[in-house]
Amino acid sequence: MTDDTTTAEAPEVDPNEVERDEADIAADYIEGLLDICDLDGDIEIEERGGRVYLSVTDDGGALRVLSKPETVTALQELTRIAVQAETGEFSRLILDVGGSRDARASELQRLVDTAIERVEGGSSSAALPPMSSYERKLVHDLVAEKGFHSESEGEGRDRHTVVTR
């Protein structure tokens, strides 16, 4: 009796042809930047709600030079461009360097608290300074938690949030 079944071997996969995902591309890009700057850092990747979050931390505080809000925003944009160049798709990743996002979230909370105090004190509205779409989203969530209303107004770099009752 002969066996007519044949077993197909799995095709060899060229490692150069394997698609890298957004998180891996971004982490490699940030790692390369850290190497250029001669800085050490640990990169943590988290995915939430279809968005990649990259956190770069260190033990010695050397990342302080890269953790200024404007610098983090610029690095985030460069990383998004690197991801888009490789994947052909727009990236919405969020980058945190040395705890900068937590510090900015605390600052946004203070801005929201001050705006709400002004509205409770009799102002019909309180405008916050211009900020990124991600920060405006955080502000809208903070305002809603306090039972107030907020809307984004303006265009481009002047887009900001206005808080009302």
Side-chain angles (χ1 to χ4, degrees):
M1 185 157 124
T2 62
D3 187 2
D4 291 335
T5 60
T6 59
T7 57
E9 291 184 30
E12 286 189 39
V13 177
D14 182 351
N16 296 325
E17 292 181 17
V18 174
E19 278 190 40
R20 298 189 319 140
D21 70 355
E22 178 181 15
D24 289 337
I25 296 165
D28 288 347
Y29 183 77
I30 292 296
E31 188 173 313
L33 286 174
L34 291 174
D35 286 345
I36 289 169
C37 296
D38 196 26
L39 294 171
D40 291 324
D42 297 319
I43 300 173
E44 296 176 21
I45 301 170
E46 184 179 345
E47 294 187 37
R48 292 181 287 184
R51 185 174 273 198
V52 172
Y53 291 80
L54 247 60
S55 295
V56 185
T57 58
D58 73 339
D59 292 330
L63 292 176
R64 198 170 328 136
V65 69
L66 298 178
S67 66
K68 295 178 180 169
E70 300 83 18
T71 306
V72 174
T73 298
L75 290 173
Q76 177 176 279
E77 289 307 310
L78 288 171
T79 306
R80 286 176 173 179
I81 290 168
V83 169
Q84 185 172 358
E86 188 164 328
T87 65
E89 296 183 19
F90 179 74
S91 172
R92 295 178 43 220
L93 74 87
I94 300 297
L95 178 64
D96 177 42
V97 178
S100 61
R101 292 285 173 195
D102 288 340
R104 182 63 175 153
S106 295
E107 186 178 334
L108 292 174
Q109 181 67 61
R110 285 190 298 276
L111 287 171
V112 166
D113 291 344
T114 300
I116 288 174
E117 286 173 12
R118 288 192 351 231
V119 171
E120 287 177 329
S123 293
S124 61
S125 66
L128 300 177
M131 57 188 70
S132 70
S133 60
Y134 175 75
E135 290 176 338
R136 287 192 315 274
K137 166 71 170 105
L138 291 177
V139 165
H140 290 305
D141 292 345
L142 292 169
V143 169
E145 285 175 12
K146 300 276 187 171
F148 286 76
H149 180 71
S150 62
E151 289 185 17
S152 292
E153 294 182 359
E155 298 295 324
R157 291 185 178 267
D158 293 329
R159 194 136 175 95
H160 61 280
T161 308
V162 177
V163 179
T164 57
R165 196 169 279 286

